[in-house]
Structures are given as structure tokens and as C-alpha cells.
């Protein structure tokens, strides 16, 4: 089994010009989508979308389904308190989802992006095809470009954190890394073993201007032998309409 990384939990179709200057004096390429629009889901929530390499990407983190702070464990106890902060975080940064919910909650016509879909997006940000297939942090400055709002790439990917077992105890689920990292599911499962399902994901953050492509278990085994889902952000994608 390939190494499972636990979380410490063609640009040719785009306009590629010189643009935003960084603090170190270097200049980010200016990348603009092929098309833009909006989509309204069954709950009445409107999401902007941007088009890259023939795919429409939601340009906001999905919010549908049960908010993470209302999810209960097998005994019916809430995993997290519905505090004002938690409610505000979902409104601002979107919801966090288990792998299964991420797959199953896609609105009609949309899907959870495959690992290949993510690689196409990364190529639109200027990453070469060989690099997109690598594991780990790669593709500077694609991570910065993906975080840009409509003045840049329009993807507006957020540092929305994740929910996973606390590494120090492996007992309780913890909401972590808000404003530090954003973790995003792909639908692609690498393999299934006795340890469980292993899926590709993407991570962006403040420590690297690239994008991390890696593998993670979709569920974690606590010391108590209970099984706990990992929860990450979701961007849905569809073939260009």
C-alpha cells in the first residue's frame, strides 16, 4: 500500500499575462477564467463558478447538507457545539464533509472532482502535466493563484481547515487549521486495504505557494476502536455547459 499521509491533518486556454506583484518583488502571472456564471442549488444558495480547461468549478466552498456542528455520533451526541463561531464559520468558509457526503451531496449535474479534474485545474494555473502527477507540495505559485478572488483566477479557495482526530490523543475529533490550510476532497480512491479507503485530496496554505497532492484515509481509527470520518471542504465541478 502506498504511504498514507496523515494531515498534521491547458493554461493555454487562459489569459496569461504579468500581474500581481508579491512582497518579494516577483510577479504572479495573471490568469483569468474562460467563462464565469452562477448556479443556484436546491436550497436556494447561489454559487459562482469559473471555467478552466473545459470544466466549470464552483468558486465558493459548498454549504449544503447537514452543518458539521449538527452531525451526531453513533450514540446521538453532537460532535461539535453549535456555537456562534461555528455557525459563522460555515457561513463564511463553507461546510466540512465526510468523503461519502462529499460524493453524495453533489447537486444534479455536478460531481466531486476526480484527481484528474484537479490536475486539469492545476495545469490551467500554469503547472506542467508531469508535475501535477507528483505527490506532495508542488507547482509554485499555483496555490496562491487558486486563492485569488475575481480580480485574479476567481477560484477563491479558502483556508477553511479540516476536522480530524487530534494527533496527540487519537481520541477526539478536532476542528483545526482554520486560516492556515484548506483541505479539499477528490473523489478518486487509490486503493482499499485493511486500514480502510484511501482518497486523494488537495491542500493549500500559508506555508507554501504550491498545492499539495496527497492521500489520506477517509476514516480514522481512534484508540477507543471507534471509527471517525475525516471532514474536508468541497468544490463541485461539472463539464462545461
Amino acid at each position: 500500500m502506498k504511504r498514507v499521509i496523515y494531515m498534521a491533518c491547458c493554461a493555454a486556454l487562459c489569459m496569461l499575462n504579468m500581474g500581481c506583484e508579491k512582497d518579494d518583488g516577483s510577479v504572479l502571472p495573471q490568469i483569468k477564467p474562460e467563462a464565469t456564471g452562477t448556479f443556484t442549488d436546491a436550497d436556494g444558495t447561489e454559487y459562482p463558478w469559473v471555467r478552466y480547461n473545459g470544466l466549470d468549478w464552483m468558486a465558493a466552498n459548498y454549504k449544503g447538507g447537514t452543518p458539521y456542528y449538527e452531525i451526531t455520533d453513533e450514540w446521538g451526541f453532537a460532535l461539535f457545539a453549535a456555537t456562534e463561531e461555528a455557525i459563522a464559520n460555515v457561513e463564511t468558509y463553507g461546510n466540512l464533509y465526510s468523503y461519502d457526503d462529499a460524493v453524495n451531496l453533489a447537486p444534479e449535474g455536478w460531481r466531486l472532482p476526480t484527481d484528474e479534474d484537479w490536475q486539469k485545474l492545476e495545469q490551467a494555473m500554469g503547472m506542467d502535466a508531469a508535475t501535477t502527477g507528483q505527490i506532495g507540495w508542488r507547482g509554485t505559485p499555483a496555490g496562491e493563484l487558486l486563492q485569488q478572488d475575481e480580480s485574479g483566477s476567481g477560484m477563491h479557495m479558502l483556508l477553511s481547515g479540516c476536522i480530524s482526530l487530534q494527533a496527540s490523543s487519537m481520541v477526539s475529533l478536532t476542528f483545526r487549521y482554520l486560516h492556515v490550510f484548506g483541505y479539499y476532497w477528490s473523489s478518486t480512491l487509490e486503493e482499499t486495504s485493511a486500514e480502510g479507503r484511501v482518497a486523494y485530496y488537495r491542500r493549500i496554505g500559508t506555508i507554501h505557494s504550491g498545492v499539495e497532492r496527497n492521500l489520506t484515509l477517509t476514516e480514522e481509527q481512534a484508540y477507543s476502536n471507534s471509527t471517525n470520518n475525516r471532514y474536508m471542504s468541497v468544490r463541485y465541478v461539472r463539464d462545461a455547459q
Side-chain angles (χ1 to χ4, degrees), residues 52 55-58 60-62 97 99 101-107 109-122 155 157 183-189 199-202 213 233-239:
Y52 284 104
L55 295 174
D56 295 341
W57 286 82
M58 288 189 181
N61 288 358
Y62 198 61
Y97 299 90
Y99 174 84
D101 282 346
V103 171
N104 294 329
L105 290 174
W110 295 79
R111 65 176 184 271
L112 188 65
T114 64
D115 183 57
E116 182 181 2
D117 291 334
W118 279 109
Q119 291 186 48
K120 288 181 179 179
L121 177 63
E122 291 162 342
M155 280 298 298
M157 289 180 66
Y183 296 81
Y184 292 84
W185 285 114
S186 92
S187 63
T188 302
L189 295 171
Y200 283 99
Y201 69 93
R202 292 303 189 275
R213 172 181 181 255
S233 297
V234 163
R235 289 296 179 94
Y236 287 120
V237 68
R238 67 183 179 185
D239 295 329

Side-chain angles (χ1 to χ4, degrees), residues 2 18 20 31 63 65 115 129 167 202 208:
K2 293 185 177 180
M18 301 310 289
C20 179
I31 293 181
K63 299 178 182 178
D115 183 57
R202 292 303 189 275
H208 199 292

Side-chain angles (χ1 to χ4, degrees), residues 50-239:
V50 294
R51 182 172 299 164
Y52 284 104
N53 273 347
L55 295 174
D56 295 341
W57 286 82
M58 288 189 181
N61 288 358
Y62 198 61
K63 299 178 182 178
T66 302
Y68 75 83
Y69 52 78
E70 292 183 3
I71 296 172
T72 58
D73 62 20
E74 56 188 307
W75 298 284
F77 295 103
L79 296 176
F80 295 91
T83 63
E84 290 184 7
E85 181 180 15
I87 295 170
N89 282 342
V90 168
E91 181 60 31
T92 301
Y93 297 100
N95 203 0
L96 296 172
Y97 299 90
S98 67
Y99 174 84
D100 289 320
D101 282 346
V103 171
N104 294 329
L105 290 174
E108 184 176 357
W110 295 79
R111 65 176 184 271
L112 188 65
T114 64
D115 183 57
E116 182 181 2
D117 291 334
W118 279 109
Q119 291 186 48
K120 288 181 179 179
L121 177 63
E122 291 162 342
Q123 290 172 36
M125 297 299 114
M127 204 183 300
D128 64 80
T131 300
T132 63
Q134 296 174 1
I135 290 291
W137 289 98
R138 72 269 196 276
T140 298
E144 292 182 73
L145 296 173
L146 289 173
Q147 294 179 59
Q148 291 177 336
D149 60 18
E150 59 275 6
S151 64
S153 73
M155 280 298 298
H156 204 244
M157 289 180 66
L158 302 174
L159 306 181
S160 42
C162 68
I163 295 173
S164 62
L165 286 173
Q166 188 166 351
S168 60
S169 66
M170 291 296 288
V171 173
S172 59
L173 286 172
T174 303
F175 179 34
R176 57 180 66 196
Y177 301 127
L178 181 65
H179 304 148
V180 179
F181 293 118
Y183 296 81
Y184 292 84
W185 285 114
S186 92
S187 63
T188 302
L189 295 171
E190 172 62 20
E191 57 185 295
T192 301
S193 72
E195 296 180 63
R197 296 176 302 178
V198 180
Y200 283 99
Y201 69 93
R202 292 303 189 275
R203 176 166 62 149
I204 58 171
T206 58
I207 66 167
H208 199 292
S209 61
V211 182
E212 184 188 34
R213 172 181 181 255
N214 233 314
L215 293 158
T216 183
L217 288 167
T218 61
E219 298 92 17
E220 303 171 286
Q221 193 77 25
Y223 287 152
S224 62
N225 290 324
S226 62
T227 300
N228 299 273
N229 291 312
R230 293 181 186 271
Y231 295 84
M232 301 188 198
S233 297
V234 163
R235 289 296 179 94
Y236 287 120
V237 68
R238 67 183 179 185
D239 295 329

